[in-house]
Amino acid sequence: MKKINCIGILTSGGDSPGMNAAIRAVTRSAICKGFAVKGIYRGYDGLVNGEIKEFTTESVSNIIAKGGTILKSARSQSFMTPEGRKQAFENMQKAGIDALVVIGGNGSLSGARVFAQEFDVPCIGLPGTIDNDLYGTDLTIGYDTTLNTIVECVDKIRDTATSHERIFFVEVMGRDAGFLAQNSAIASGAEAAIIPEDSTDADQLEQFIGRGIRKSKNSSIVIVSESPKCGAMFYAERVKREYPQYDVRVSILGHLQRGGSPSARDRILASRLGAGVIDAILDGQRNVMIGIRNDEVVYVPFSDAIRSDKAMNKSLIRVLDELSI
């Protein structure tokens, strides 16, 4: 196996709070252990186009508190082609990069897995996604900050919902995973959460709204995971048809969920996992994601992290049901 002297870092896909803390941790831990580090700008596109710059400890100064990613991010169409990946590999070789660190979500780690298989490149992944949907890790970088952002927004919406006796459907991110919706509903005292893991029909929706509105509450908040077919607007329109007496509104939180300074928890998580990358490389690991389970850093094969579904703790659904009566 070729000796690793230089490590390249890129961020890919949707940005998440804490990515900068992870970049900082990988860079400084690598330099501390004697590796050279190079930052790759604009994700896989930057690797294809050769947007590569040498990093020092100063390159990552004062970024731990910043949201977004100093390396920028992009969804690369060219990297999805064999020709694009070949160009990316050639640019890696020109830059003297021996191993690649990819910070991103499911799609980003899928790209790393294919790249590693085609060119025998050691790749290490970090779970940078607000959705918390990667298997093998209890938490992903950015999830805690986003959850707190959602709760802060819902708390404000609650003021208006109560003042005007309205039903609010609040749409949050998490198209294929309901962790944000379910946990923000519990934390904000919402009456219900509509999530992919718990299929909702009209009768359940009636139960959600009716339980609060008809008995003791004059307002209600329902958190909905985004969906192209049945997001917050879909459920709001249905309630308007079935209960025309209620004042129904929709609030789609959108991209404000991604922004902001990362929470202390996300900064610590990103720092631990970033340092874990270098430990993994020194340990001879390759093609794994660095995760956290039971407060211990673990190595999760890409195949497991990407292809396995992360189960929702169904007791959370019961907790919300019981506490929203």
Side-chain angles (χ1 to χ4, degrees):
M1 186 183 296
K2 181 183 175 183
K3 183 182 178 184
I4 295 173
N5 296 306
C6 179
I7 296 167
I9 312 170
L10 63 82
T11 51
S12 173
D15 61 299
S16 63
M19 278 186 166
N20 282 328
I23 294 167
R24 173 182 180 271
V26 173
T27 299
R28 292 195 168 174
S29 183
I31 292 172
C32 182
K33 300 290 174 59
F35 295 99
V37 179
K38 294 193 176 178
I40 301 159
Y41 287 81
R42 295 174 183 82
Y44 289 119
D45 250 6
L47 198 55
V48 173
N49 298 323
E51 297 184 63
I52 302 169
K53 179 182 176 182
E54 187 164 356
F55 264 30
T56 65
T57 57
E58 290 76 21
S59 302
V60 294
S61 293
N62 302 318
I63 68 169
I64 193 170
K66 292 182 179 179
T69 162
I70 62 165
L71 288 174
K72 314 300 182 187
S73 188
R75 302 184 190 276
S76 176
Q77 294 297 320
S78 57
F79 190 78
M80 296 180 183
T81 67
E83 297 78 14
R85 291 192 293 274
K86 184 173 183 293
Q87 182 64 50
F89 178 65
E90 290 173 356
N91 285 334
M92 269 188 70
Q93 289 183 307
K94 286 179 189 175
I97 297 172
D98 305 309
L100 187 64
V101 177
V102 176
I103 307 170
N106 194 293
S108 303
L109 299 191
S110 295
R113 182 171 182 252
V114 172
F115 192 56
Q117 290 173 336
E118 288 182 344
F119 299 100
D120 195 29
V121 174
C123 290
I124 305 291
L126 283 178
T129 169
I130 66 172
D131 293 339
N132 199 36
D133 60 346
L134 287 170
Y135 180 85
T137 184
D138 293 339
L139 294 168
T140 59
I141 298 166
Y143 170 69
D144 183 69
T145 306
T146 301
L147 186 61
N148 280 287
T149 297
I150 293 170
V151 170
E152 183 179 352
C153 290
V154 174
D155 285 348
K156 290 177 168 60
I157 290 169
R158 172 77 71 183
D159 293 342
T160 293
T162 303
S163 298
H164 293 273
E165 299 185 328
R166 288 171 177 163
I167 301 172
F168 265 89
F169 285 85
V170 181
E171 185 173 291
V172 302
M173 289 182 171
R175 181 168 301 182
D176 300 312
F179 296 98
L180 283 172
Q182 189 68 35
N183 283 299
S184 65
I186 292 172
S188 63
E191 278 63 42
I194 298 176
I195 60 174
E197 294 86 345
D198 184 29
S199 59
T200 302
D201 57 28
D203 291 339
Q204 286 175 301
L205 188 63
E206 180 179 353
Q207 181 184 15
F208 289 158
I209 305 304
R211 184 172 56 205
I213 294 293
R214 292 175 186 164
K215 291 183 180 177
S216 61
K217 298 179 182 179
N218 60 7
S219 65
S220 189
I221 290 181
V222 180
I223 313 293
V224 184
S225 287
E226 65 182 351
S227 168
K229 292 183 178 179
C230 49
M233 286 298 300
F234 172 84
Y235 290 106
E237 291 301 321
R238 192 156 72 185
V239 171
K240 285 179 183 178
R241 289 195 305 269
E242 296 180 12
Y243 306 104
Q245 69 272 33
Y246 295 133
D247 188 0
V248 180
R249 301 298 169 96
V250 171
S251 184
I252 299 174
L253 300 188
H255 286 83
L256 68 83
Q257 296 164 84
R258 290 195 182 279
S261 180
S263 66
R265 191 173 191 182
D266 270 328
R267 297 183 200 191
I268 294 166
L269 176 66
S271 297
R272 289 184 67 187
L273 298 187
V277 165
I278 308 307
D279 291 337
I281 289 173
L282 289 171
D283 193 36
Q285 298 287 332
R286 53 195 291 155
N287 311 331
V288 297
M289 178 190 79
I290 311 300
I292 192 106
R293 283 204 300 259
N294 299 320
D295 204 35
E296 296 289 337
V297 173
V298 295
Y299 305 149
V300 185
F302 281 157
S303 56
D304 290 343
I306 295 162
R307 294 188 172 182
S308 302
D309 291 330
K310 185 172 182 178
M312 164 74 69
N313 184 344
K314 292 301 178 71
S315 70
L316 294 173
I317 297 173
R318 176 184 57 78
V319 167
L320 180 59
D321 286 346
E322 290 179 0
L323 300 185
S324 62
I325 60 172

